[in-house]
Amino acid sequence: MQLIPRSATPPNLRWFLALPKFGIVLLIAAVIALLWLLHQNELEEERAALIKDVLWLEQNLRFQLSGNEERLQQLAADLATSKEPATLFRLRAKHLLNIHPEISQIAWLDAKRHEIDALPSGRLSHKDSASTTADSRQTAFETAQRLGKAVYGEPLQLEPNTSHIEITLPIYVDRNFIGALVASYPLQSLLNGQVPWWFAEKYQVIIVDDNDTQYAAKSNIKGTPSLFYELVFEPPGRGLKLRVTSYKSAVNPLQRLLAIAIIALAIGVFWSLWIVRDLMKKRSQTEQALRAEHAFRTAMEDSLTVGMRARDLEGRIIYVNPSFCKMTGFNQEELVDAAPPMPYWVPEQLDETYALHQAVLAGNAPKDGFEITFRRKNGEHFDVLIYEAKLIDGDGRHTGWMASVLDISERKRASELARQQQEQLQFTARLVTMGEMASTLAHELNQPLAAIASYNSGCLNLMNSADCKADEIRPAMEKIGIQAQRAGKIIRRVHDFVRKSEPKRAPCQIAEVIDDCLGFIEADARKRQVHIECIVAKSPEILADRLMLEQVLLNLMRNAMDAMANTAEADRRLEINVLARPDELEIMVSDRGCGIAEEIRDKLFTAFFSTKPEGMGIGLSVCRSIIEFHRGRLWAEENPAGGTTFHITLPVEEA
Ligand code: ADP
């Protein structure tokens, strides 16, 4: 009976379990890589946009400054040729300042760098500048004169907190240097004017030099910088750089949510996989335990010598163990699924067997088991003892009947043999008793025969006389009849006693049994000068084999007389008492004999134990087995008056 489905063996299962785990790890890695790539892509795009924007800004500034330079160049050229240069300067400078607010001042200097005019005047005076400022302005002035073209000076701190950059443009008349025009750009104003608002929303723009000194900055945002890009700020050059920094834009919440969801889902899948793995592990352990249990059970069932047979509620066989198969000679395939009549039923007893089968299915099987005869496949009959029990499944449902079947044919044969041997022994014991009593019985038989002979010769004499009357002969003839009956009774009793018959329990009166025994023993007792006293209480009938009881009592009485062989004649008393109790009878056979020595008391009832030279020693052992057969007890006690008392108890049963 296959109870457990075969499943993957543990190493395979481990591989099987590892695969999805491996897959999930790969999936998580792929998801993380994807997110990282997306992030990198974003950064790249951000960087490209930054560069593009920075280049655009730089171009814008360059365009603006170059345009301004050209216009100032034009003004310088016009001043050189103008008849009224003062008016021209004022007019054109004012116009320039108006349309280019990033220029804070335009100054007109002569060849000695003295200010001729300035718009707005005075604010960024070229006269009373600090010495470093003056030096740097001087250098720029001289360079412009020497090169004959516009020159940007170094950044100057002309007003508090505001750095300026100045462009110096030389003025020539017929190759004679007559002065220069100087225009100032406050760097902050330059950024304010030239960096559009949308640019400032995205980036921070600062102007720095090589030493990272900051000159101007513009930005509308705050936060953590992420990327920056630097470009040489040319014109004006002078080591100035434009640094544009982008700020981390707020991450799209949907994107973040998506990333979190993906990671959470991956973790969830991993976790559930872990749980499944745990469950499968537990399942595999349980299966392992079940397999071990199954193997153990199978080994146990296979080694059982008791046959096991399970039937469903309809009586169909669902399981038989190897022992049952061995017992019946049929194999599992032939028995499982078999329905009544079963192949091992005895064909001659089909009806009884079927009735028993029905009783079992109805739940009426005897609790102490029942005996039945089965037939082996080879036709041999054998007796079995069957115990039936309910078959209960895992849910507590009654699904059939389980029987343990014991082959008792061998045991029965042995007990039958023992019984026959015991019977034989009893019979032998009876023959022995009878043999021992033969001379007494012959003597007893001799008396009626002698009487018959003498009555017979008396009758013959009477008949010989001439006046013989029938009435004279009659009494003698009657006595002959009586004596013949007496002799016949003796012979019948002997015949009855040695007759071989099956033990048969029938209701009988103990007084009658004792009477019969006395009939046997009286002659012997007379011979041995033993006085017999018999007190029998009124007692109910008991169920017993009369002959067997006689054998017991006779044996005890003869033993008692044997024991009194050396007792003084006057004391040779054999007492037989019968006590009646509600549930049992007690019979006591007492003598005044030699008693039983302590050392032989234990061996008394052992077969073939005798202290007598010609004794066989089977008497008491047979007596005990007979009494036990009658469910009674036999034991010996000391007689308080001297000698021994043998006690017998017999249960009083309803006939
Ligand atoms: P057997 O009479 O052939 O010896 P039994 O089995 O009847 O065999 O008795 C066994 C022995 O028990 C006797 O040999 C005797 O020693 C002892 N025995 C039996 N009955 C008595 C008795 N009433 N008094 C003393 N000894 C007894």
Side-chain angles (χ1 to χ4, degrees), residues 436 555-556 559-560 562-563 591 594-596 600 604 606 609-612 615-621 644 646:
E436 284 167 356
N555 201 75
L556 295 181
N559 275 352
D562 286 348
D591 63 63
C594 55
I596 298 165
I600 65 164
L604 221 53
T606 317
F609 171 78
S610 174
T611 56
K612 300 169 195 167
M616 282 196 49
I618 51 172
L620 284 181
S621 112
T644 315
F646 278 84

Side-chain angles (χ1 to χ4, degrees), residues 5-75:
R6 293 268 153 211
S7 67
T9 55
N12 287 349
L13 189 68
R14 223 172 293 144
W15 269 108
F16 180 67
L17 281 174
L19 272 179
K21 245 191 296 171
F22 187 61
I24 287 291
V25 169
L26 278 183
L27 178 73
I28 291 177
V31 167
I32 290 172
L34 184 71
L35 289 175
W36 183 78
L37 276 177
L38 281 175
H39 182 66
Q40 288 302 314
N41 210 23
E42 219 170 76
L43 282 181
E44 209 51 53
E45 273 180 16
E46 206 179 312
R47 189 174 171 74
L50 171 70
I51 293 172
K52 206 175 90 189
D53 288 348
V54 171
L55 287 174
W56 175 84
L57 179 68
E58 193 256 355
Q59 206 179 6
N60 205 30
L61 282 170
R62 184 195 293 271
F63 180 74
Q64 194 62 38
L65 290 175
S66 305
N68 288 354
E69 191 182 324
E70 261 175 43
R71 280 181 275 277
L72 287 167
Q73 200 86 52
Q74 189 60 49
L75 179 58

